[in-house]
Amino acid sequence: MRAKAALKQIAPYQQGKQIQDIKAQYQIERIVKLSSNENPYGYSNEIKQFLASFEPAFDIYPDGYTARLRKDLANKLNVNESEIIFGSGSEEIVQMICRAYLFTGVNTVMATPTFPQYKHNATIEGATVKEIPTVDGSHDLADMLDTIDEDTNVVWLCSPNNPTGTSIAKQDLISFMDNCPEHILVVLDEAYYEYLDEAKDLHAMECIQEYSNLIVLRTFSKAYGLAGLRIGYGVANETIINQLNVVRGPFNTTSIAQQVAQIALTDQAFIKETKRKNLLVKQDFQVFLDQLGWNYFPSETNFMLVMTPTSGTEMFNFLIQYGFIVRPGELLGIPNTIRFTLGLKDDMQRLQELFSLYHKQNS
């Protein structure tokens, strides 16, 4: 079979070991998964109540227009319904963007490290990928601007950035957009938007009205706790949305995902409480790391990227013996680090104990 040549340059996504396999291998009863930035507090109780009496109609195709969720989201964001596109997580919209705007002969500019699916999908489409190293975990927007040329079609900005957790300042975004050529699509990925300090909110929906070449991506997978349902959205001017709808699958979000996301939107108290608990756990862990003498990136998310005294892979292997799954930095392109989700308070206290033990053994 003659597949795209680009497929030889990349590998399929490699899922980590499954929890049951780890339990069997290490003879552990409980596993604490901190590798995928999922919400440890679950999802809204209102959703649980809905699901208790939910009668599915799995024999019927979902609403391809996502009309009800679209209306509620447009009202919440104060945008037009025609300015929204939905995807199977915001990750599918990344794929749509690459399919619509990237091809052999053009290039795309992004930070490194950042969310790997930008590069993955751009490479599949045959585009040249230009990666600009972050500075202290943050986007080097000036260098990214300098890298743009006449063949650049898409620029990716991830704020807060995954895997570093750092965010872009409002004035820096405005300056970047003012100096970026208008024919270049700028993608602002705000998957972790709900965790942001309010003072650092980019107010991206207002920026969309100002800049016709900007699209903002968000998701229900993180703070809303709906990772298993795979639903996210993008917001941009109607021209961009219409172009993306050409490459979008006609029934790309499920009926249950649409209904549950609609309910999730109404329970902002759950989001507020998730953010509050996450912040307390983060602040406590930062104090601990300061006392331990380990460096870390300032995070505006529900995860942290921490520098380790040995390789991240070695620390991953140490922690997994005790039932804690983290993400070694070697898999993220950042050696001697680990990224971990900020979990439940008691679990994070235990993780501190394991960090201390590891520190003692390797100091």
Side-chain angles (χ1 to χ4, degrees), residues 253-305:
T253 61
T254 65
S255 299
I256 188 171
Q258 293 178 26
Q259 293 176 74
V260 170
Q262 192 178 1
I263 296 169
L265 269 183
T266 67
D267 192 358
Q268 290 303 305
F270 172 78
I271 297 298
K272 184 177 180 180
E273 184 65 4
T274 286
K275 183 176 181 179
R276 185 189 71 82
K277 290 178 179 178
N278 180 79
L279 180 60
L280 289 175
V281 169
K282 179 174 67 175
Q283 290 173 336
D284 183 69
F285 214 95
Q286 287 174 336
V287 170
F288 163 74
L289 289 172
D290 291 339
Q291 295 172 344
L292 199 63
W294 288 22
N295 295 321
Y296 54 88
F297 291 93
S299 175
E300 289 290 335
T301 67
N302 67 334
F303 63 82
M304 292 186 68
L305 183 67

Side-chain angles (χ1 to χ4, degrees), residues 281 285 340-341 343-352:
V281 169
F285 214 95
F340 55 88
T341 309
L344 299 174
K345 181 179 179 180
D346 289 348
D347 290 332
M348 299 309 288
Q349 289 291 333
R350 175 56 177 157
L351 187 62
Q352 289 184 20

Side-chain angles (χ1 to χ4, degrees), residues 81-93:
E81 292 183 27
S82 59
E83 295 176 321
I84 304 174
I85 190 168
F86 291 95
S88 177
S90 56
E91 184 176 340
E92 188 193 16
I93 306 175

